[in-house]
Amino acid sequence: MTQNIVLVGFMGTGKTAVAHALTQKIHWNLVDTDELVEQSEQKKISEIFSEHGEEYFRDAESRVIREVMQKDKQIVSTGGGAVLREANREHMLNSGWVIALLADAATIIQRIKQDVHRPLLEGDLDEKVIRLLKERRNAYDFAHEHIDTSRYTIDEIAEMILEQFDRYDMLYDAPL
Ligand code: S3P
């Protein structure tokens, strides 16, 4: 049964903005797994990476995802790498309708150019984005739906998701 709407996708694909738009429309709880990791660790993500390394961050992220997915009626925005662990993917699929937001490299680079808080993109931004996108080529395939965000506004994407969600929910006999 679908209990949550879960947004996955590479950095800069619009997960946070779309999650906010969805919450305004259906008034479910807005949950951001990056924020929950920061709260539980009492540190910014960049500090967690620099002080403890990526694996430590991934462990904290997995704990957060496991906990979040036990609740329902949430719009969940996940970090771009939350899909890398199979256990995380399973938790998402089992308790939510998972939507992958996609965008091409140029759009992603344009969107995150001003943003300095992403540890995995420090250095040559273009090179890092292109390399990571290649590494994660199939990482978002597991989602129930895929939406290319380069072509639509935030509001259009939110509307599309809700339309599809209605249809999906009827299909699986799990009314809102
Ligand atoms: C990451 C994406 C970030 C954050 C962390 C790692 C990734 O989240 O979780 O910096 O591995 O793609 P956003 O996708 O919200 O930027």
Side-chain angles (χ1 to χ4, degrees):
M1 173 152 52
T2 306
Q3 298 159 316
N4 298 297
I5 295 179
V6 184
L7 301 178
V8 300
F10 199 84
M11 296 169 266
T13 50
K15 291 164 294 185
T16 307
V18 172
H20 275 96
L22 284 170
T23 310
Q24 279 178 0
K25 288 175 192 294
I26 61 170
H27 308 294
W28 283 10
N29 286 334
L30 177 60
V31 176
D32 183 312
T33 61
D34 282 344
E35 276 177 19
L36 291 182
V37 169
E38 288 186 336
Q39 279 169 24
S40 75
E41 295 297 312
Q42 295 283 299
K43 282 179 186 146
K44 292 268 158 218
I45 286 175
S46 54
E47 291 168 340
I48 303 173
F49 269 76
S50 65
E51 290 173 25
H52 303 286
E54 181 169 349
E55 274 309 289
Y56 183 97
F57 169 78
R58 297 290 171 213
D59 289 342
E61 183 177 53
S62 294
R63 279 194 297 275
V64 160
I65 287 170
R66 199 178 52 230
E67 265 168 45
V68 163
M69 293 303 157
Q70 284 167 15
K71 301 178 205 139
D72 61 10
K73 297 219 181 318
Q74 308 168 104
I75 310 288
V76 184
S77 174
T78 61
V83 299
L84 296 176
R85 290 190 174 176
E86 191 180 354
N88 295 351
R89 297 195 296 272
E90 273 173 16
H91 285 305
M92 294 182 210
L93 289 172
N94 286 338
S95 61
W97 186 51
V98 184
I99 300 140
L101 300 185
L102 311 173
D104 54 64
T107 305
I108 288 172
I109 290 164
Q110 189 59 34
R111 286 183 185 157
I112 59 188
K113 227 170 16 199
Q114 317 297 343
D115 231 329
V116 290
H117 76 272
R118 291 182 170 95
L120 291 179
L121 301 180
E122 277 166 15
D124 183 336
L125 178 66
D126 292 28
E127 186 265 325
K128 291 272 169 66
V129 167
I130 289 164
R131 187 164 50 79
L132 263 186
L133 269 177
K134 210 180 269 176
E135 272 175 37
R136 295 183 182 174
R137 210 174 16 238
N138 303 117
Y140 306 100
D141 290 358
F142 78 103
H144 295 111
E145 297 282 347
H146 301 79
I147 300 176
D148 186 346
T149 64
S150 330
R151 313 210 314 261
Y152 304 102
T153 65
I154 297 297
D155 201 60
E156 283 169 343
I157 296 162
E159 285 298 334
M160 280 162 62
I161 289 172
L162 293 180
E163 237 169 68
Q164 292 173 0
F165 187 59
D166 269 351
R167 237 178 286 147
Y168 173 93
D169 243 7
M170 280 174 354
L171 212 62
Y172 288 86
D173 199 23
L176 286 177

